Amino acid sequence: MDRAAAGGAIPYGGQEIPYALTFRERRTLSITVQPDQTVRVVAPLGTAREQIEARLRKRAGWIVRQQAFFAAFEPLTPARRYVSGESHLYLGRQYRLKLVQAPKPVVKLVRGYLEVYTPDPMDKEQVETQVQDWYRAHAAEKLGGYVREVIKRFGVFDLQPPTLELRRMEKRWGSCTPGGKVILNPDLIRAPKGCIEYVIVHELCHLLEPNHSRAFYDLQERILPDWEQWKERLERVMK
């Protein structure tokens, strides 16, 4: 039987780490960091608050690293205004938006420009719809191909191709389900290919190692030795 308790916070490096606390009939205390960066503690019934916070202080460095890890998956690209001259990313390269009045809606890349042919260039909602549809179509084509490429690196593990779903997520670049489905944020198509491959590798590793354990990181290192470089670039480029 679970019993929720008032959470709290511990100091760490000039900041505070808030946590949610639940008591449960169990023998051990667990600390987890959720994808939304919240910290959850599940403690045995009757555990003293001092003991809980002592454990949190001991794990504080790990908690902060996990929060930073999940923060890397948050899409942070500023809101677009969909006006001519505005910069838009595609596979890590910057393209200038060029609005052209035309009877038939079309979007295409032409020599450094993302050209949007539209009946009314002043209709920002229509322009946004065209651009987002273009991105999603290219994401559907490219991301599926990248998954097929990356999974070949897992040959020794006989990993089967997963079901792929594209879904816009506010807090994540990717995720996977216990049933073996990999979910990717179509906004990833804006990132460099190496960053996209990093996210795919990360999610495919989770199909073999569900938790962020040492075995998971060893596997990720084996499949993509320079994963930290691409993780950092994803954070930098997509801000």
Side-chain angles (χ1 to χ4, degrees):
M1 179 178 179
D2 293 353
R3 180 165 63 84
I10 61 166
Y12 180 76
Q15 61 178 327
E16 286 193 338
I17 300 175
Y19 65 91
L21 175 61
T22 301
F23 290 104
R24 182 178 298 169
E25 291 183 358
R26 58 181 295 163
R27 299 181 62 183
T28 59
L29 182 148
S30 70
I31 301 171
T32 58
V33 179
Q34 303 301 305
D36 63 1
Q37 301 172 51
T38 58
V39 179
R40 296 182 184 176
V41 180
V42 180
L45 293 170
T47 306
R49 182 66 68 115
E50 292 79 8
Q51 183 180 349
I52 293 169
E53 296 201 343
R55 181 72 68 83
L56 282 163
R57 286 192 293 272
K58 186 176 181 179
R59 302 292 305 280
W62 173 83
I63 290 170
V64 170
R65 288 194 297 273
Q66 285 295 99
Q67 289 175 325
F69 171 81
F70 283 123
F73 287 81
E74 296 183 359
L76 298 175
T77 304
R80 305 285 83 188
R81 295 185 299 125
Y82 298 96
V83 295
S84 285
E86 184 176 60
S87 179
H88 286 254
L89 284 168
Y90 176 65
L91 292 178
R93 292 186 59 190
Q94 297 277 1
Y95 291 88
R96 294 291 180 184
L97 194 65
K98 183 178 180 180
L99 304 183
V100 181
Q101 187 171 13
K104 184 178 180 180
V106 177
V107 179
K108 55 186 177 181
L109 290 178
V110 180
R111 295 187 296 276
Y113 285 91
L114 182 61
E115 296 186 348
V116 180
Y117 294 81
T118 186
D120 182 5
M122 298 301 293
D123 186 345
K124 303 309 176 190
E125 290 186 6
Q126 173 62 28
V127 173
E128 179 179 0
T129 296
Q130 288 182 230
V131 172
Q132 293 302 328
D133 287 349
W134 182 88
Y135 269 122
R136 189 170 186 88
H138 281 69
E141 175 187 353
K142 293 285 188 180
L143 298 185
Y146 292 161
V147 170
R148 289 189 292 273
E149 287 180 16
V150 170
I151 203 169
K152 295 176 184 177
R153 306 181 194 180
F154 290 79
V156 69
F157 299 98
D158 194 28
L159 187 62
Q160 297 302 306
T163 299
L164 176 63
E165 177 183 337
L166 299 184
R167 182 195 306 168
R168 298 199 71 177
M169 298 174 281
E170 292 185 3
K171 296 289 185 179
R172 303 295 303 276
W173 288 118
S175 67
C176 65
T177 69
K181 177 190 291 185
V182 169
I183 303 169
L184 297 178
N185 192 325
D187 283 345
L188 262 178
I189 199 63
R190 294 174 165 84
K193 182 180 179 182
C195 297
I196 298 172
E197 291 180 341
Y198 156 66
V199 175
I200 293 171
V201 167
H202 183 90
E203 300 307 334
L204 292 179
C205 285
H206 272 314
L207 297 181
L208 298 170
E209 298 290 343
N211 302 311
H212 289 117
S213 61
R214 171 43 52 193
F216 168 84
Y217 285 109
D218 287 345
L219 176 60
Q220 184 170 256
E221 184 85 14
R222 177 176 177 176
I223 301 299
L224 189 66
D226 56 352
W227 68 268
E228 289 183 286
Q229 168 192 324
W230 291 111
K231 173 181 176 291
E232 292 172 2
R233 189 171 180 187
L234 180 66
E235 294 179 35
R236 186 173 62 253
V237 171
M238 299 300 283
K239 287 184 178 179

